[in-house]
Amino acid sequence: MTRYPNFSIKNSSSSPPNTAEDSPVSLPENKPWLIVGLGNPGKKFNGTRHNVGFMMVDAIAEAEGISINTANFKALIGKGFIGNDPVMLAKPQTFMNASGESVGALVSYYKIPLKQVLVIFDDLDLPFAKLRLLPKGGHGGHNGMRSIIDRLKGSRDFPRLRIGIGRPQGRMDTINYVLRPFNKQEREELEFTFQQGIEAVRILALEGFDKSATYVNSARAIEQLG
């Protein structure tokens, strides 16, 4: 099992938002898909390996015309639709190790079934830029996922989209590696990964988990985008 670094970064305030901008996001009566990208807030973490979940959610938002412009539940949130299906995009702002504070609050407030909660995060054990979509599972040593599982009362029964970041070369420290920005070549490779992820989320929302998993986890995804 991969052990991710345990960052000693202070979490944001746990007090509930009390401004007009931070009022709960109104959503249609049918439950939306909650699509969560994991990362650390702040400019110094932009474009780093540990923030690739944020980057994927930003790519989905741009592709679907959804503005992530509301701050609530310790997250930046955007609401919109994929086809006729409501979705809510979220980027927890608690720092990685406390991601569950945000995700747990969103799931509880909007009463979203766990089968409609997709968490997107970086994975050291997958080759760089590869995707894997799973229906459930453990945290795999990822502290953000550990926090989410804890806040969901130990439930692991929610889908997750893992984005491979590969392993550090030589003796590079894991913390330094995951907090390193992607270089130009890596960013170019990730553009393909993000396009694949956007299509996977569309299939997930419109046609269900099984078809999306077949698309992501098989060579067909490469052929269809190529």
Side-chain angles (χ1 to χ4, degrees):
M1 180 174 64
T2 301
R3 290 291 178 186
Y4 276 74
N6 189 9
F7 297 111
S8 57
I9 304 175
K10 297 281 186 186
N11 296 336
S12 58
S13 170
S14 60
S15 59
N18 57 10
T19 64
E21 297 95 321
D22 291 342
S23 58
V25 180
S26 61
L27 290 166
E29 287 186 10
N30 51 323
K31 302 301 182 186
W33 269 93
L34 174 60
I35 300 169
V36 181
L38 300 188
N40 286 309
K43 289 184 178 180
K44 71 177 182 178
F45 297 110
N46 286 349
T48 59
R49 297 170 192 277
H50 218 23
N51 273 35
V52 74
F54 276 8
M55 295 166 71
M56 178 70 86
V57 164
D58 286 339
I60 294 167
E62 182 177 358
E64 302 299 341
I66 299 172
S67 297
I68 302 178
N69 57 7
T70 301
N72 202 7
F73 299 101
K74 301 182 182 180
L76 295 176
I77 298 169
K79 63 184 176 106
F81 292 86
I82 295 178
N84 293 321
D85 292 341
V87 297
M88 180 161 48
L89 307 180
K91 296 161 62 178
Q93 300 295 291
T94 56
F95 290 100
M96 183 68 82
N97 296 352
S99 299
E101 294 179 16
S102 172
V103 176
L106 285 163
V107 169
S108 176
Y109 184 86
Y110 292 107
K111 296 180 172 56
I112 300 173
L114 292 188
K115 66 180 181 180
Q116 287 179 221
V117 178
L118 175 69
V119 181
I120 305 172
F121 63 99
D122 58 296
D123 194 324
L124 284 162
D125 288 330
L126 276 182
F128 180 76
K130 300 300 181 185
L131 295 179
R132 181 73 54 82
L133 179 63
L134 299 172
K136 59 184 179 179
H139 55 70
H142 192 286
N143 289 323
M145 289 296 288
R146 180 185 283 112
S147 173
I148 291 170
I149 290 169
D150 286 347
R151 288 286 174 155
L152 296 179
K153 300 179 181 178
S155 178
R156 304 176 177 192
D157 297 335
F158 57 91
R160 65 281 315 275
L161 180 63
R162 297 158 50 195
I163 305 174
I165 60 171
R167 287 198 161 275
Q169 305 252 330
R171 298 183 178 181
M172 182 183 294
D173 180 76
T174 302
I175 293 178
N176 291 336
Y177 179 72
V178 299
L179 295 181
R180 248 176 110 181
F182 295 110
N183 61 37
K184 182 179 178 181
Q185 180 180 343
E186 289 169 334
R187 289 195 301 271
E188 290 174 355
E189 289 184 54
L190 283 173
E191 285 302 315
F192 174 85
T193 302
F194 294 153
Q195 290 303 312
Q196 185 183 354
I198 289 165
E199 184 63 20
V201 168
R202 285 175 180 161
I203 296 170
L204 182 67
L206 300 175
E207 302 184 58
F209 178 86
D210 290 344
K211 286 190 177 180
S212 184
T214 298
Y215 169 78
V216 172
N217 300 333
S218 72
R220 283 201 292 264
I222 297 174
E223 294 169 4
Q224 289 168 11
L225 282 175

